[in-house]
């Protein structure tokens, strides 16, 4: 008879009815009709090793299950954080709108009344030149404070964004920056739909505010160009300055709140934000936000 190599693990029952794994290396010999006649070779009790392997397999399966659960938990937490961020942005805008309305409708009117009363008192006391200069200062300070309140209310929530829409609000924002800082600015728009959803308008306006604030701080007196362009599927916003520029990797490592806020606002709108910059090359922000269907 010719032997056939045998290298395998087998489960055997001992005389005491206990079960053990044996690792067998040898040869099997069969009779003329194909039945195993006898086996030669060596056998090693590998019960402890097989038990350890079973434990490792169970641990692996357990850990894989834990990883799966952990990933699900992370995804769930991520979705909850995104929903929370959206709620926070919405609540923030509502609070800004409320405060801006109070500043404009209440405090500004009260200041206007105070200014008129001071002016009337100054005219009535024209015969008392010793207090004329004081009353004039009161009138001037009331007028200056009223202008500051209008400016703060406008920054909190520009009423023209609600009344006239995003293009006019952005044009005003850019022109105010140019007049305030004495820098060349340009705004252009093209192919815009007749109406832009308020949530998109507010998001792009806030991103533009933050971008222009950064330009004011870091870009010197460089010129600024803003373009708002639409297709049937998306709204594109480009904000370009020709200033000092910066290292994008270093800025991302600093985790500036301004950049994080812009990225989060655009992400919540389902859009994308790309930043191109470099020392001495200026900075360009390219933003794309999808539009709802059937907008013209």
């Amino acid at each position: 008879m010719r032997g056939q190599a045998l290298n395998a693990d087998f489960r055997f029952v001992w005389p005491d009815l206990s079960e053990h794994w044996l690792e067998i290396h040898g040869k099997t010999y069969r009779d003329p009709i194909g039945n195993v006649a006898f086996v030669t070779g060596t056998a090693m009790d590998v019960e402890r090793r097989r038990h350890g392997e079973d434990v490792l397999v169970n641990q692996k399966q357990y850990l894989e299950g834990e990883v799966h659960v952990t990933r699900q938990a992370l995804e769930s937490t991520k979705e909850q954080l995104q929903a929370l961020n959206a709620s926070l942005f919405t609540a923030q805008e509502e609070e800004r709108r409320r405060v801006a309305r109070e500043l404009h409708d209440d405090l500004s009117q009260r200041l206007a009344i105070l200014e008129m009363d001071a002016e009337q008192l100054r005219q009535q006391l024209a015969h008392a030149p010793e207090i004329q200069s004081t009353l004039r200062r009161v009138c001037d300070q009331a007028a200056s404070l009223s202008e500051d309140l209008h400016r703060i209310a406008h920054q909190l929530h520009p009423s023209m964004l609600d009344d006239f829409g995003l293009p006019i609000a952005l044009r005003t924002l850019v022109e105010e920056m140019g007049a305030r800082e004495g820098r060349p600015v340009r705004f252009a728009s093209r192919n815009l739909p007749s109406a832009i959803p308020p949530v998109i308008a507010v998001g792009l306006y806030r991103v533009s505010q933050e971008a222009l604030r950064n330009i004011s701080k870091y870009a010197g007196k460089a010129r600024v160009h803003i373009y708002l362009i639409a297709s049937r599927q998306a709204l594109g916003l480009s904000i370009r300055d020709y200033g000092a520029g910066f290292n994008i990797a270093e800025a991302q490592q600093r985790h500036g709140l301004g950049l994080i806020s812009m990225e989060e606002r655009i992400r919540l709108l389902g859009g994308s934000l790309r930043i191109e910059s470099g020392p001495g090359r200026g900075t360009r922000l390219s933003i794309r936000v999808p539009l709802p269907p059937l907008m013209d």
Side-chain angles (χ1 to χ4, degrees), residues 37-276:
F38 60 92
V39 177
T40 64
T42 61
M44 179 184 301
D45 189 337
V46 292
E47 178 66 23
R48 295 181 63 182
R49 190 196 72 189
R50 290 297 297 260
H51 176 71
E53 291 175 351
D54 291 341
V55 170
L56 289 176
V57 169
N58 291 335
Q59 288 180 340
K60 180 181 178 182
Q61 293 174 344
Y62 172 78
L63 291 174
E64 289 176 346
E66 286 291 302
V67 168
H68 181 67
V69 171
T70 301
R71 287 176 179 170
Q72 287 183 326
L74 286 174
E75 287 297 323
S76 176
T77 301
K78 181 180 178 181
E79 292 175 358
Q80 292 174 0
L81 286 175
Q82 291 175 351
L84 177 60
N85 283 339
S87 299
L88 288 175
F89 278 128
T90 300
Q92 183 186 59
E93 289 299 331
E94 290 299 323
E95 183 64 12
R96 284 180 170 182
R97 184 180 286 107
R98 183 189 67 80
V99 173
R101 186 169 55 248
E102 288 186 3
L103 288 176
H104 183 271
D105 297 344
D106 184 18
L107 294 182
S108 292
Q109 291 183 8
R110 290 161 63 183
L111 267 176
I113 294 173
L114 176 62
E115 185 180 357
M116 288 188 295
D117 289 345
E119 179 61 26
Q120 184 178 8
L121 182 61
R122 188 180 71 83
Q123 294 176 2
Q124 292 174 350
L125 296 177
H127 61 280
E130 65 278 5
I131 64 173
Q132 285 294 305
S133 60
T134 300
L135 287 174
R136 170 51 60 189
R137 286 197 302 272
V138 171
C139 291
D140 292 343
Q141 289 176 0
S144 177
L145 184 57
S146 180
E147 292 179 359
D148 289 342
L149 281 178
H150 279 292
R151 176 177 53 81
I152 293 172
H154 177 71
Q155 290 176 343
L156 284 173
H157 185 79
S159 58
M160 67 176 57
L161 188 60
D162 298 328
D163 299 335
F164 303 107
L166 179 62
I168 293 179
L170 283 181
R171 181 182 297 278
T172 302
L173 180 67
V174 174
E175 291 176 348
E176 287 178 348
M177 176 193 191
R180 183 175 63 251
E181 301 179 5
R183 74 167 70 238
V185 298
R186 179 184 178 187
F187 174 82
S189 60
R190 181 161 53 91
N191 298 334
L192 298 182
S194 56
I196 297 174
V199 64
I200 294 178
V202 170
L204 292 182
Y205 186 87
R206 292 305 181 196
V207 169
S208 300
Q209 268 189 323
E210 184 62 36
L212 295 181
R213 188 177 298 117
N214 289 337
I215 291 172
S216 296
K217 291 172 63 176
Y218 304 115
K221 295 296 183 181
R223 67 186 187 277
V224 177
H225 293 172
I226 294 186
Y227 300 100
L228 184 64
I229 303 173
S231 66
R232 292 188 63 84
Q233 295 82 25
L235 197 61
L237 176 65
S238 172
I239 304 174
R240 174 75 186 272
D241 75 75
Y242 294 83
F246 62 94
N247 185 296
I248 297 176
E250 292 180 358
Q252 290 175 336
Q253 289 177 354
R254 290 195 295 268
H255 301 292
L257 291 180
L259 181 58
I260 292 175
S261 174
M262 287 191 289
E263 291 175 338
E264 184 64 12
R265 283 187 181 275
I266 297 304
R267 189 192 60 75
L268 290 174
L269 294 175
S272 61
L273 169 64
R274 186 175 78 253
I275 303 175
E276 302 170 79

